[in-house]
Amino acid sequence: MAEAGLEVPDVTVTVTDRAPERSRAAEAVRTYLLITGMWVRSTMAYRTSFLLTALGNFAATGLDFVTIVLMFSHITVLGGFTLPEVAFLYGSTSTAFGVADLLMGSMDRLGRRVRDGTLDVLLLRPVPVLAQVAADRFALRRLGRITQGLLVFGWALTRVDVDWTPVKVLMVPMMLGSGAALFCAVFVCGAAFQFLAGDASEVQNSVTYGGNTMLQYPPGIFSRELVRGVTFMVPLAFVNWLPALRILGEPDPLGLPGWVDFASPLVAALCCALAGLAWRAGLRTYRSTGS
């Protein structure tokens, strides 16, 4: 167990009552909940350890916003954004990424399982492999990142100068949900890539953790080429940049049509579908080490 320094033996999840009519998606969700429930119970057996690690996670991730606050002690505007507007970006992407990191943050361990052959154990179980990998060593301490992001986002909502309309209000939960789904898709795509390049977890982290850090700042401070790359190639701009520009009334540096600001759910659904295909393709290429 990561939080308490204890090792909890692998738990074999056996589904004996699979009904033919049960969809594979429902089976994956059930498997995921069973495994995460086991890890949550093991974590809560040491409540003090959990609280300390969650507080540590809260403080460590909060240092990023402290850096932004210190920066604004010397400036008043960054890339056309005030401190509350940057906090809006920071809080929205941190919350979305925190949810994805909580749900799928274990995917970067897949490369190690491929290298040492322990993925074979997961393949022998009669449940979806993706659900097992995603729930492996579920770390409840990551709630610290979500809590910190929500606090900053809540503060930003009370400070930004926005003429709130029903559409803009609805865009806030849409942005958070779509952003979390987009980051989950990136986690799965990164894991699929590790079937080909077993030691590529840092490549995955550069997109997930690096992308989260980039989205905490206004797009105007980055080059147009980079902004185009995270809009059309790895569409992280749909996590919060594009909907936030609409909510805050800021200009789009790429001059995209206005309807694109509402496309985050569609882009997230498309990315999740592509991530599923990438995962299946990667899993088919797996060859056991024979150990």
Side-chain angles (χ1 to χ4, degrees):
M1 183 177 65
E3 288 78 2
L6 296 179
E7 287 292 336
V8 176
D10 284 340
V11 172
T12 301
V13 179
T14 304
V15 179
T16 58
D17 57 344
R18 286 191 303 170
E21 67 274 12
R22 178 178 299 168
S23 70
R24 192 161 183 79
E27 186 178 318
V29 171
R30 179 174 181 269
T31 301
Y32 182 88
L33 293 177
L34 284 172
I35 299 175
T36 55
M38 181 272 294
W39 284 106
V40 169
R41 288 193 297 275
S42 65
T43 298
M44 298 311 292
Y46 302 90
R47 296 176 187 274
T48 302
S49 174
F50 161 68
L51 290 175
L52 291 176
T53 54
L55 286 174
N57 188 263
F58 178 94
T61 55
L63 290 176
D64 291 341
F65 187 66
V66 172
T67 303
I68 294 174
V69 172
L70 291 176
M71 188 186 308
F72 271 91
S73 66
H74 299 282
I75 60 176
T76 56
V77 176
L78 177 66
F81 283 57
T82 62
L83 176 59
E85 290 172 335
V86 174
F88 185 89
L89 293 178
Y90 176 94
S92 57
T93 186
S94 296
T95 302
F97 178 75
V99 172
D101 191 37
L102 176 69
L103 298 177
M104 311 291 285
S106 300
M107 299 296 291
D108 59 354
R109 295 193 179 95
L110 179 67
R112 186 171 57 186
R113 284 191 174 275
V114 171
R115 292 194 302 275
D116 61 19
T118 55
L119 186 64
D120 295 359
V121 178
L122 307 187
L123 291 171
L124 292 174
R125 296 171 181 166
V127 288
V129 179
L130 177 59
Q132 296 181 69
V133 175
D136 186 31
R137 297 181 182 275
F138 181 82
L140 199 61
R141 68 177 184 279
R142 290 169 177 156
L143 287 173
R145 179 190 292 274
I146 301 174
T147 304
Q148 184 263 342
L150 283 173
L151 288 175
V152 174
F153 191 58
W155 178 82
L157 287 175
T158 63
R159 296 302 183 97
V160 290
D161 184 17
V162 174
D163 182 17
W164 290 103
T165 63
V167 173
K168 290 183 178 180
V169 171
L170 289 175
M171 287 184 74
V172 172
M174 178 199 74
M175 175 175 60
L176 298 180
S178 301
L182 271 166
F183 274 123
C184 285
V186 174
F187 272 115
V188 174
C189 287
F193 181 63
Q194 293 183 56
F195 283 112
L196 303 176
D199 196 15
S201 61
E202 294 305 321
V203 176
Q204 174 182 330
N205 292 337
S206 67
V207 179
T208 52
Y209 289 88
N212 175 51
T213 301
M214 181 180 65
L215 295 177
Q216 294 170 358
Y217 295 91
I221 67 173
F222 300 100
S223 68
R224 281 178 175 265
E225 289 73 19
L226 180 60
V227 176
R228 287 193 183 97
V230 296
T231 301
F232 300 112
M233 295 182 65
V234 183
L236 294 178
F238 289 89
V239 170
N240 69 339
W241 272 358
L242 292 172
L245 291 175
R246 166 72 65 165
I247 294 172
L248 299 175
E250 296 289 343
D252 183 350
L254 297 182
L256 298 174
W259 61 266
V260 175
D261 300 339
F262 302 95
S264 293
L266 179 62
V267 173
L270 179 61
C271 287
C272 288
L274 293 176
L277 294 175
W279 171 262
R280 290 190 176 191
L283 190 59
R284 290 195 190 99
T285 66
Y286 173 70
R287 297 293 181 271
S288 172
T289 60
S291 60

